[in-house]
Amino acid sequence: MTSPLLRLTGQDKDLGGGFIVRRLLPAARRQSVGPFVFFDHFGPLDVAPGASHDVRPHPHMGLATVTYLFEGAVMHRDSLGSVQRIEPGAINWMTAGRGIVHSERTPDDLRQRAFRQHGLQLWAALPQAHEEAAPEFVHTPAAAIPVAQVGGSEVRVLIGEAFGCRSPVKTFSATVYLDITLAAGQALTLPPLAEELALYSVQGNLQVDGEAVAARTLALLAPGAVTQISASAGARVMVIGGEKLDGHRFIWWNFVSSRKERIAQAAEDWVAQSMGQVAGDPEFIPLPERKPSPSESASPPPAPYL
């Protein structure tokens, strides 16, 4: 029987207006799990009528954002001309590559209504050979996500392959992302689906190989091990992982790269407003006051994406 190699409890960050985000990655003890270098759990937040949590246009580079909602809705717009309402159960993979700009705003029909916002945003670092890939936004609706029934549990295969199902979402390296509804009192056997794996309970305490793991804890699993997961009262569990990242990544604000000088260049490009614009939206989030330097030995943690 194996136990999680490491547990990350994350830090809660108030992004304003009571919007609390728990950030699990990057962490001092672990930068990444598979390609994932950033893991934010936001909400659940009850949004009052007229309240605004809009995210103005901002850039990304060297990564892919992966947005997944449990409740609520977000209107995505980007510098490619994509306009997409993001709703629960869909996977939204935005390849930033050499650079993209996007906004995330409350849909107009929800602005004067009370609603609940709850979800995850992850960043996948692109392999070094694809860091400068062409930007792209791909929306995979909830109905297109394959579902496996495993004992009394349901497994939605958001990205990658598991339990005989393969997600249609295309990635640049082997990647796993699962949404598991774990039935009360039932055990699920999780095979070693990838070189690196971790699990995170959105709701409900877990037993992982007989060891208690509290909700909202990112637990890294032993490489190559078969893992037994159970929850006496049931749980909603996310599994992330994939092929080990090909080298260290520097992370500053919304930029990720294997080269510090590339991040410095992206910062200059954003100041010059040469990374693109979201049509019809003249607003933008300015660069943080401290700019990255190619001579820095370490990069500061990323600023909130919201």
Side-chain angles (χ1 to χ4, degrees), residues 75-107:
M75 185 60 71
H76 166 97
R77 292 182 173 87
D78 62 43
S79 51
L80 302 175
S82 311
V83 178
Q84 178 64 54
R85 185 186 179 102
I86 295 174
E87 295 185 316
I91 277 289
N92 300 274
W93 177 285
M94 184 181 76
T95 300
R98 59 179 176 258
I100 196 170
V101 179
H102 76 133
S103 65
E104 298 157 296
R105 296 187 180 272
T106 301

Side-chain angles (χ1 to χ4, degrees), residues 35-58:
F36 295 110
V37 295
F38 185 93
F39 186 121
D40 264 10
H41 179 190
F42 56 89
L45 173 69
D46 290 316
V47 181
S52 175
H53 295 288
D54 284 357
V55 186
R56 294 169 292 162
H58 58 283

Side-chain angles (χ1 to χ4, degrees), residues 75 85 106-113:
M75 185 60 71
R85 185 186 179 102
T106 301
D108 289 342
D109 62 297
L110 294 181
R111 289 194 178 276
Q112 301 306 318
R113 292 172 48 192

Side-chain angles (χ1 to χ4, degrees), residues 138-218:
V138 179
H139 170 79
T140 303
I145 300 295
V147 179
Q149 300 296 329
V150 185
S153 300
E154 179 183 278
V155 181
R156 304 189 75 239
V157 183
L158 309 180
I159 298 174
E161 191 170 357
F163 300 104
C165 295
R166 176 179 292 178
S167 168
V169 177
K170 291 181 169 54
T171 62
F172 290 87
S173 62
T175 306
V176 173
Y177 192 17
L178 310 178
D179 177 1
I180 302 173
T181 301
L182 196 60
Q186 296 287 323
L188 182 139
T189 300
L190 183 69
L193 299 169
E195 185 178 4
E196 295 184 341
L197 279 181
L199 56 83
Y200 177 82
S201 178
V202 175
Q203 182 177 3
N205 297 326
L206 302 176
Q207 291 284 322
V208 179
D209 285 337
E211 185 172 343
V213 175
R216 296 185 168 225
T217 300
L218 187 67

Side-chain angles (χ1 to χ4, degrees), residues 196-286:
E196 295 184 341
L197 279 181
L199 56 83
Y200 177 82
S201 178
V202 175
Q203 182 177 3
N205 297 326
L206 302 176
Q207 291 284 322
V208 179
D209 285 337
E211 185 172 343
V213 175
R216 296 185 168 225
T217 300
L218 187 67
L220 282 81
L221 305 180
V226 174
T227 305
Q228 294 289 326
I229 309 167
S230 62
S232 59
R236 184 81 175 266
V237 183
M238 311 304 292
V239 176
I240 66 167
E243 182 181 348
K244 186 177 180 180
L245 208 52
D246 58 345
H248 180 76
R249 291 300 188 275
F250 299 96
I251 305 172
W252 189 85
W253 196 40
N254 298 318
F255 307 137
V256 174
S257 180
S258 59
R259 298 180 294 121
K260 287 180 286 186
E261 62 272 17
R262 182 64 181 92
I263 289 179
Q265 180 60 56
E268 295 300 324
D269 291 344
W270 182 239
V271 170
Q273 289 290 288
S274 61
M275 295 182 71
Q277 290 80 36
V278 176
D281 194 340
E283 295 187 307
F284 65 91
I285 298 176

